[in-house]
Amino acid sequence: MPSPVTFGLSVTALLAVVGAGAALLPSSFTGSGTAAEHPEAAVAALVPGAGGGAPGTGVARPSAPPPSSPAATPSTAAPKPSRTATKKPATRKPVVKKTPTRKPTTSAPKVGAGLAAQESEVIRLVNVERDRAGCGSVELNTKLRAAIRLHVQELGTHGDLYISHVSDDGRDFVTRAKEQGYNDPGGENVARGQRDAADVMTSWMNSDGHRANILNCDFKALGVGAVKGVDGTIVWGQLFGRS
């Protein structure tokens, strides 16, 4: 029989070994101490906006189960006949929601004499480039001009050199042209920050996609827009047509 002192030392030694073994277990067994071991952290990782997102999107927490409803007390009175049982159910006519129709603006924004002259100069320079490429010239189309002026005017309401081929409400150049009564649009170029017609034409001619529009021999008509944006830069646009 080992003495009590010897038995106590053996137990202590055994506990020390077990403790050391736990400290040496690989993390795959013990876990990393993150979302897998803390359900709230796992939820936070899956909730959009949790931890610095938009206001009102804090961590979603599971709600407590609703309290049980009290049991209904049985009534000893004789049941009364239901009045609604003899009534014919009322029929409701389905409500048809009407989608509001968007009324497009048909009047082109007016620009100052200086910018109007720059628009005309763009058309002249386009025809210079097309003549060099052996294409016929394009002529000013006022419907295309209205469409592109409206687009660059909208672009100009955004700062930081914002530029896009898509309107704020999702329309593209085809839709914008048709809204002005032109049914055969072919292509659109936009630019921002160039100081004059020569500058913007140089930028477009040095870009493959923009140059392809300018030198497309199928195009016959052109509208040009030039509007000063809120940041003081000029927003430029070309809208080409096939007829």
Side-chain angles (χ1 to χ4, degrees):
M1 282 289 293
S3 66
V5 175
T6 305
F7 180 79
L9 290 176
S10 300
V11 172
T12 302
L14 177 61
L15 291 176
V17 171
V18 171
L24 294 175
L25 284 175
S27 60
S28 59
F29 292 157
T30 62
S32 60
T34 56
E37 293 185 71
H38 300 286
E40 291 185 356
V43 173
L46 297 175
V47 175
T57 58
V59 178
R61 301 179 184 275
S63 59
S68 58
S69 301
T73 304
S75 173
T76 58
K80 295 181 179 180
S82 172
R83 293 182 180 179
T84 58
T86 59
K87 286 185 177 181
K88 189 178 181 179
T91 57
R92 294 184 180 181
K93 294 182 179 180
V95 178
V96 179
K97 293 183 179 180
K98 294 183 178 180
T99 304
T101 56
R102 181 182 178 277
K103 294 182 178 180
T105 303
T106 55
S107 58
K110 295 181 179 180
V111 300
L115 289 176
Q118 291 297 317
E119 291 176 349
S120 298
E121 179 65 5
V122 167
I123 295 178
R124 188 189 72 82
L125 293 174
V126 164
N127 284 329
V128 168
E129 297 294 345
R130 289 173 66 87
D131 183 63
R132 290 174 181 170
C135 290
S137 61
V138 289
E139 295 183 358
L140 169 65
N141 183 281
T142 56
K143 294 177 180 179
L144 291 176
R145 181 177 64 184
I148 195 63
R149 275 185 178 178
L150 286 168
H151 183 50
V152 296
Q153 182 185 55
E154 182 183 86
L155 295 178
T157 64
H158 301 274
D160 298 327
L161 297 178
Y162 176 83
I163 203 75
S164 176
H165 287 286
V166 181
S167 299
D168 289 349
D169 59 4
R171 290 172 299 142
D172 59 10
F173 75 89
V174 175
T175 302
R176 292 191 296 268
K178 289 184 176 181
E179 286 176 349
Q180 302 305 320
Y182 190 92
N183 294 320
D184 200 12
E188 179 183 76
N189 289 342
V190 292
R192 186 167 190 162
Q194 292 79 5
R195 64 182 180 274
D196 56 26
D199 192 16
V200 73
M201 279 296 295
T202 298
S203 296
W204 280 329
M205 289 301 292
N206 286 329
S207 168
D208 291 342
H210 299 93
R211 183 174 63 252
N213 277 337
I214 292 171
L215 300 183
N216 188 325
C217 296
D218 292 335
F219 295 160
K220 308 299 181 186
L222 174 61
V224 176
V227 175
K228 184 168 288 188
V230 294
D231 56 1
T233 62
I234 300 176
V235 188
W236 304 86
Q238 296 174 316
L239 185 52
F240 295 88
R242 297 188 178 92
S243 58

